[in-house]
Amino acid sequence: MITNAVCTIVRTAEDGTYFAVGEYPCMWQETEAYEVKKYGEERADRAAVYIPDIGADVLKGDYITRGGISADIDVSAMLTVSSVTRHDYGSADMQHIRIGAR
């Protein structure tokens, strides 16, 4: 699989702090947009992220960002993982994880 970026998965710990789960090479396809609602604008950014490592540790509800992160983790600028689909069939070159994030 061709990759064009590195993504970082961030998870919330039981005590409410955030920690980085891992960094993975990925194919990042993003759409930046705003939706107009009755009460104003709302951010409607979306991303489809494909990770060629089916062993990557990512769960629904985690946060994802393009690139690496510093020691201070700010999840307000990150997207929230809304779906995780593991495609673990076929040859090793075809296997991947598809992440939908908003």
Side-chain angles (χ1 to χ4, degrees), residues 17-31:
T17 60
Y18 301 102
F19 65 96
V21 176
E23 287 186 9
Y24 305 101
C26 67
M27 169 58 80
W28 186 282
Q29 299 173 341
E30 183 172 16
T31 302

Side-chain angles (χ1 to χ4, degrees), residues 6-7 19 29 31-32 38 46-47 49 55 57 60 77 92 99:
V6 172
C7 64
F19 65 96
Q29 299 173 341
T31 302
E32 294 181 16
K38 284 192 244 181
R46 294 179 186 204
V49 183
D57 185 13
K60 186 176 175 182
I99 299 169

Side-chain angles (χ1 to χ4, degrees), residues 28 45-49 64 79-83 98-102:
W28 186 282
D45 297 344
R46 294 179 186 204
V49 183
I64 189 168
L79 299 174
T80 304
V81 174
S82 57
S83 67
R98 183 190 186 282
I99 299 169
R102 286 193 74 142

Side-chain angles (χ1 to χ4, degrees), residues 14-98:
E14 291 180 13
D15 63 358
T17 60
Y18 301 102
F19 65 96
V21 176
E23 287 186 9
Y24 305 101
C26 67
M27 169 58 80
W28 186 282
Q29 299 173 341
E30 183 172 16
T31 302
E32 294 181 16
Y34 286 93
E35 292 179 341
V36 178
K37 306 270 187 174
K38 284 192 244 181
Y39 51 84
E41 272 187 347
E42 184 175 290
R43 192 174 118 195
D45 297 344
R46 294 179 186 204
V49 183
Y50 301 89
I51 299 176
D53 179 9
I54 61 167
D57 185 13
V58 59
L59 302 171
K60 186 176 175 182
D62 286 348
Y63 297 96
I64 189 168
T65 187
R66 187 174 184 163
I69 57 172
S70 63
D72 298 328
I73 299 174
D74 178 22
V75 296
S76 64
M78 295 182 187
L79 299 174
T80 304
V81 174
S82 57
S83 67
V84 179
T85 309
R86 283 181 169 69
H87 297 277
D88 57 356
Y89 49 82
S91 69
D93 292 336
M94 290 181 56
Q95 297 176 353
H96 63 281
I97 295 175
R98 183 190 186 282

